[in-house]
Amino acid sequence: MKGIQMDLISEEKLDGMTSMEKVRLILDEVRSGKILILEKGLTPSEQTKLIELTMAEIEPDDFSGIEIESYPVKQNENFLNKLFGKTTLKTRLTVIGPASQLKTIRKDRDLISALVSP
């Protein structure tokens, strides 16, 4: 059966990995043509490292890079956090795939719309 493989990766699996393990897993899977849906997004430093490694591995006839989209970061501002001046950032769902197969059509606060091609 021919098609596009999409893997949904749980927050628990990602929490059990180091930053470099996450980046390497993502890059290896996307290079093999898979589209990944991460339940918990990457931190800004993890995204930076992913982009750096992707740029180093781009080959014109083999690997054209990645497409990555995330919901905007959500701040956790409950009453106690506001009272003590603390805000925590919660990363949200992220979609990552080969740039040659995944194109973002629209993205807003609650929706990521993408076109997937073989």
Side-chain angles (χ1 to χ4, degrees), residues 7-75:
D7 290 348
L8 289 81
I9 302 176
S10 72
E11 180 177 351
E12 288 80 20
K13 178 171 178 150
L14 294 172
D15 284 345
M17 301 172 85
T18 67
S19 290
M20 198 58 202
E21 287 173 332
K22 290 180 206 176
V23 168
R24 193 73 253 164
L25 169 79
I26 291 166
L27 196 51
D28 290 346
E29 296 297 300
V30 171
R31 278 195 71 130
S32 71
K34 295 178 185 174
I35 294 174
L36 304 178
I37 311 289
L38 309 181
E39 181 179 16
K40 179 180 178 185
L42 300 173
T43 66
S45 64
E46 290 169 342
Q47 280 193 14
T48 301
K49 191 64 177 170
L50 177 61
I51 292 167
E52 287 174 2
L53 284 176
T54 299
M55 296 303 289
E57 294 189 19
I58 288 178
E59 297 174 12
D61 295 332
D62 181 40
F63 180 60
S64 61
I66 63 171
E67 177 85 11
I68 181 170
E69 286 296 342
S70 299
Y71 289 124
V73 173
K74 190 176 193 178
Q75 289 187 343

Side-chain angles (χ1 to χ4, degrees), residues 71-78 81-82 85-92 109:
Y71 289 124
V73 173
K74 190 176 193 178
Q75 289 187 343
N76 183 10
E77 293 186 11
N78 63 31
N81 285 344
K82 286 181 183 179
K86 294 181 182 178
T87 58
T88 56
L89 298 178
K90 183 178 179 188
T91 56
R92 299 171 69 195
R109 191 173 63 86

